[in-house]
Amino acid sequence: MAADLVRRLAAEALGTAMLVATVVGSGIMADRLTDDVALGLLGNTVPTGAILFVLITILGPVSGAHFNPAVTLVSALQRALPWRAAGLYVVAQVLGGIAGTIVAHLMFDVPALALGAQPRTGMTQWLSESVATFGLLLTILIAARSRPQAVPALVGSYIVAAYWFTASTSFANPAVTLARALTPTFSGIRPDDVPLFIVAQLSGALLAAGFCRWFLAPEQAT
């Protein structure tokens, strides 16, 4: 395996691990500091948006800072990433996400791995995940074309907003969803609910890719 690909996979694993550690860790911290659910969600939201800005800024030049199989899938469909590399990206993201959950648990003296117990199912949740992922990919694809230097801030800001305007609090990431199925804490999800969350996320990503293919197409000469 080429050294450059190894570095990119390391960046994807590390970035996803740090993202999940932030999501899970801030959720535990918020839950311990307040009984106010809205304040707890805010305490989970702000660190997530902030760490995305940091991680995309520092690791984007190495791997593209996907940290998300939905982003990797769209990248492969657009032929910006070979399918073999895309598959390895997804493996790195999933393993990194699991590592992030374990690290967060160890920092807060929670058993390293335990199944999520938070039910997240039903049409409102699935629609929310589709909308959240559609918006995330829309943000990435349009910003990458028009304002690439602003992608870290835009993605972080979008996720902060999507935490609050979606009923599911915007997982919008299959690797993060799998990792959050391994925590019984504030940010967890019941494992039985994971498959349809991921279907909804990938559907939203593919819809965004199709829309942007038309929306960003060069104007035809008249």
Side-chain angles (χ1 to χ4, degrees), residues 8-217:
R8 286 188 283 148
L9 295 176
E12 287 297 303
L14 176 62
T16 313
M18 294 183 70
L19 172 59
V20 171
T22 301
V23 172
V24 175
S26 65
I28 296 171
M29 178 69 83
D31 193 43
R32 291 183 179 181
L33 291 178
T34 180
D35 293 326
D36 186 320
V37 177
L39 188 57
L41 182 60
L42 183 63
N44 196 203
T45 302
V46 174
T48 302
I51 199 65
L52 278 168
F53 178 85
V54 172
L55 293 173
I56 296 170
T57 299
I58 65 173
L59 297 177
V62 180
S63 68
H66 295 187
F67 316 140
N68 186 336
V71 175
T72 299
L73 172 63
V74 170
S75 182
L77 288 171
Q78 294 181 333
R79 300 182 180 178
L81 186 69
W83 282 104
R84 176 177 176 273
L88 293 172
Y89 264 46
V90 171
V91 172
Q93 291 156 1
V94 171
L95 294 178
I98 294 170
T101 296
I102 293 171
V103 169
H105 283 180
L106 294 177
M107 288 193 292
F108 286 92
D109 197 24
V110 174
L113 286 177
L115 295 180
Q118 179 70 29
R120 300 181 189 268
T121 189
M123 186 58 67
T124 58
Q125 295 285 307
W126 304 328
L127 177 60
S128 292
E129 281 304 294
S130 184
V131 169
T133 313
F134 177 89
L136 175 61
L137 268 294
L138 194 72
T139 300
I140 293 169
L141 294 172
I142 294 178
R145 174 75 68 89
S146 60
R147 294 285 301 280
Q149 72 280 7
V151 168
L154 293 173
V155 170
S157 298
Y158 174 80
I159 290 297
V160 167
Y163 255 84
W164 288 86
F165 78 74
T166 63
S168 63
T169 67
S170 181
F171 286 46
N173 184 327
V176 169
T177 302
L178 288 168
R180 290 172 66 170
L182 300 175
T183 180
T185 62
F186 179 86
S187 60
I189 177 174
R190 191 172 55 182
D192 289 351
D193 299 333
V194 166
L196 288 177
F197 252 52
I198 292 176
V199 169
Q201 292 160 358
L202 295 179
S203 297
L206 292 174
L207 283 171
F211 175 78
C212 286
R213 183 177 181 181
W214 164 76
F215 188 71
L216 299 175

